[in-house]
Amino acid sequence: MIIRQMNVSDLEEVARIEKVSNPEPWTYADFEDSLAKEDGTILMLTAVDEVSNQIFGYLVLYTASGESEIVTIAVAPDFRRRGIAESLIEEVLDISQKSSLYIEEINLEVRFSNEPARKLYEKCGFEIVGQRPNFYHNPKEDAILMKRIVNA
């Protein structure tokens, strides 16, 4: 598996994975719009089989003024529990420590009920810093806010 920058040819499969992974999924157009931005504030990564070019998962990170947010991350159902999401997060952490984009912290929101994701984020060094009541709508649910300090 390799992790590389997302490109336009990935978007159809990325949007398909998003649709089966998230109750409130991004659309193809959402990914396309983010990919088209050229201001350097978006990092879009894809985990890919280097032989078949099959996409296993992806991560989208927005950055502004030293703070970043993982806005969406997912792994195709057939490839979950294989360390792909953790590898994507580790790549983001590595990039954020070496990048010309100075990133002090990375934030994310996760559904209260998504215990596997919360455990993964904690394993990757994220800490719970708050809660947003009724943040999600399908179904209605609180969001847990998590943060990881990268460069203090």
Side-chain angles (χ1 to χ4, degrees):
M1 176 184 77
I2 61 169
I3 296 176
R4 61 167 169 72
Q5 181 69 26
M6 191 181 295
N7 60 58
V8 174
S9 65
D10 298 334
L11 296 184
E12 189 173 313
E13 181 62 10
V14 165
R16 187 195 68 74
I17 294 169
E18 175 79 359
K19 189 173 183 179
V20 300
S21 299
N22 285 309
E24 298 177 40
W26 278 31
T27 64
Y28 180 98
D30 294 329
F31 285 103
E32 189 175 45
D33 289 347
S34 290
L35 193 59
K37 293 186 181 187
E38 296 180 9
D39 61 4
T41 61
I42 298 174
L43 178 62
M44 300 176 74
L45 300 177
T46 309
V48 180
D49 179 87
E50 51 194 322
V51 176
S52 69
N53 209 31
Q54 179 176 8
I55 297 171
F56 300 134
Y58 57 87
L59 182 149
V60 178
L61 181 89
Y62 285 176
T63 299
S65 302
E67 292 185 18
S68 292
E69 180 179 2
I70 296 174
V71 291
T72 188
I73 179 174
V75 173
D78 291 345
F79 298 99
R80 291 181 183 156
R81 307 250 187 256
R82 298 185 189 183
I84 295 168
E86 184 176 358
S87 293
L88 284 162
I89 292 168
E90 287 174 357
E91 182 72 12
V92 163
L93 294 169
D94 188 52
I95 289 169
S96 66
Q97 291 173 337
K98 296 176 181 174
S99 170
S100 62
L101 289 172
Y102 183 73
I103 298 172
E104 293 178 11
E105 62 186 53
I106 299 174
N107 299 285
L108 60 86
E109 294 147 345
V110 60
R111 284 182 177 273
F112 183 83
S113 64
N114 194 344
E115 191 66 30
R118 288 171 52 187
K119 286 183 180 183
L120 168 66
Y121 300 140
E122 288 173 354
K123 181 179 179 183
C124 292
F126 287 81
E127 296 179 354
I128 295 173
V129 294
Q131 190 167 332
R132 289 196 175 134
N134 300 316
F135 181 77
Y136 294 105
H137 303 287
N138 184 19
K140 191 172 250 187
E141 186 172 3
D142 292 357
I144 300 297
L145 305 175
M146 300 184 82
K147 177 188 291 190
R148 161 86 192 254
I149 301 299
V150 180
N151 293 303

